[in-house]
Amino acid sequence: ERDERPGALDLLAPTYESRWMQELLSWRQALNAESRKELEKALELQRSLVFDLWKAGVVLLPGSAAPNSWRMPGPALVDELDQLVLAGIEPAEVLRLATAGAAEVLGHGKLYGKIAKGLRADLVVLGSDPTVSLSALRDPEMVIVRGRVLERPDLQARLEVLRKLQTDVRAVASAPLFVPAPDVPDGDLLISGRAETWALNQRQSAEHFTVLRQLDGSLLYATRIRYPG
């Protein structure tokens, strides 16, 4: 169960918000006690299969699937790691898969993924031991990106900048979009009007069109289109 509009959506572009809320509506209409039970059984089976693959030596590459609906960039990766632990893989091994293991699979093991001289300084500093509980990953004390230290106030400030940016984007998207009439030659005006194109609950364009009969008797259609941004 989620709020009608979770505040985390403020950090996403409006297009994602529309898609996420539409999927939430679909789940609310389809999900009941019986379907939830079936989904939980399917998830348990998936965990079992993943564990068997890992035991057999298959290389696992953790990912977040963000920004698919309700896969928030950042927390979604920790959600994935939690599922690997629930599947039976030890937290320390899950952390290795998500760091050094991921770097090796992607062919960048000599650039990042470990704490070692010569490797890029990308680090997450935690307040407790993640090999005991991965929940520590959800509330980092600081983040170091390519050697640049970002403490809690810095991280919060960046989130606020992003939130304001998306608020501004929403304001622009909802503001009236004026489109002047297209330039046309002399003739008899038959029809003139305005139209907007929408997709995923977002305006894609606005236009002003004109149809007239020219002096030689032919029909002319003219339009001027504006796209937000």
Side-chain angles (χ1 to χ4, degrees):
E1 284 69 25
R2 299 177 184 271
D3 297 331
E4 283 297 322
R5 188 190 178 284
L9 292 181
D10 291 342
L11 301 173
L12 296 178
T15 300
Y16 289 120
E17 178 179 355
S18 300
R19 188 185 309 163
W20 285 31
M21 293 304 294
Q22 183 60 46
E23 181 161 320
L24 178 59
L25 177 61
S26 299
W27 276 109
R28 282 176 170 164
Q29 293 173 341
L31 196 60
N32 53 44
E34 183 177 350
S35 60
R36 182 187 294 273
K37 187 175 180 179
E38 291 300 315
L39 287 171
E40 290 173 349
K41 286 171 58 179
L43 183 57
E44 183 60 35
L45 177 59
Q46 290 174 342
R47 292 193 195 109
S48 177
L49 291 173
V50 168
F51 183 72
D52 289 342
L53 289 170
W54 174 73
K55 283 187 65 177
V58 175
V59 177
L60 302 182
L61 178 61
S64 68
N68 284 323
S69 299
W70 303 109
R71 299 288 87 205
M72 181 65 69
L77 176 58
V78 185
D79 293 340
E80 173 79 359
L81 301 184
D82 280 339
Q83 290 299 316
L84 293 176
V85 172
L86 290 173
I89 305 175
E90 291 295 324
E93 171 62 8
V94 171
L95 290 170
R96 188 198 69 79
L97 291 173
T99 53
E104 292 167 3
V105 171
L106 297 174
H108 296 299
K110 295 182 179 180
L111 179 61
Y112 49 72
K114 300 177 183 177
I115 301 176
K117 183 178 180 180
L119 271 65
R120 198 167 72 183
D122 289 342
L123 305 168
V124 177
V125 181
L126 307 174
S128 59
D129 187 352
T131 63
V132 175
S133 172
L134 294 183
S135 61
L137 295 171
R138 298 186 184 276
D139 193 23
E141 296 293 327
M142 69 175 65
V143 175
I144 302 175
V145 181
R146 299 183 182 181
R148 181 179 180 182
V149 177
L150 299 173
E151 299 190 31
R152 282 178 184 268
D154 302 312
L155 298 174
Q156 189 59 42
R158 285 173 175 247
L159 287 175
E160 292 307 318
V161 168
L162 178 58
R163 183 174 285 106
K164 183 181 185 306
L165 173 64
Q166 299 298 8
T167 298
D168 293 343
V169 168
R170 286 179 174 82
V172 171
S174 62
L177 191 60
F178 173 74
V179 183
D183 297 327
V184 294
D186 292 335
D188 295 327
L189 178 65
L190 300 180
I191 188 173
S192 180
R194 293 180 172 83
E196 293 186 347
T197 300
W198 287 68
L200 290 175
N201 227 15
Q202 296 296 315
R203 182 175 53 198
Q204 306 299 310
S205 65
E207 65 177 298
H208 192 148
F209 61 89
T210 298
V211 180
L212 60 79
R213 189 178 301 280
Q214 301 186 92
L215 298 180
D216 63 1
S218 63
L219 294 176
L220 172 72
Y221 172 80
T223 186
R224 177 171 282 141
I225 302 176
R226 288 188 63 187
Y227 298 90

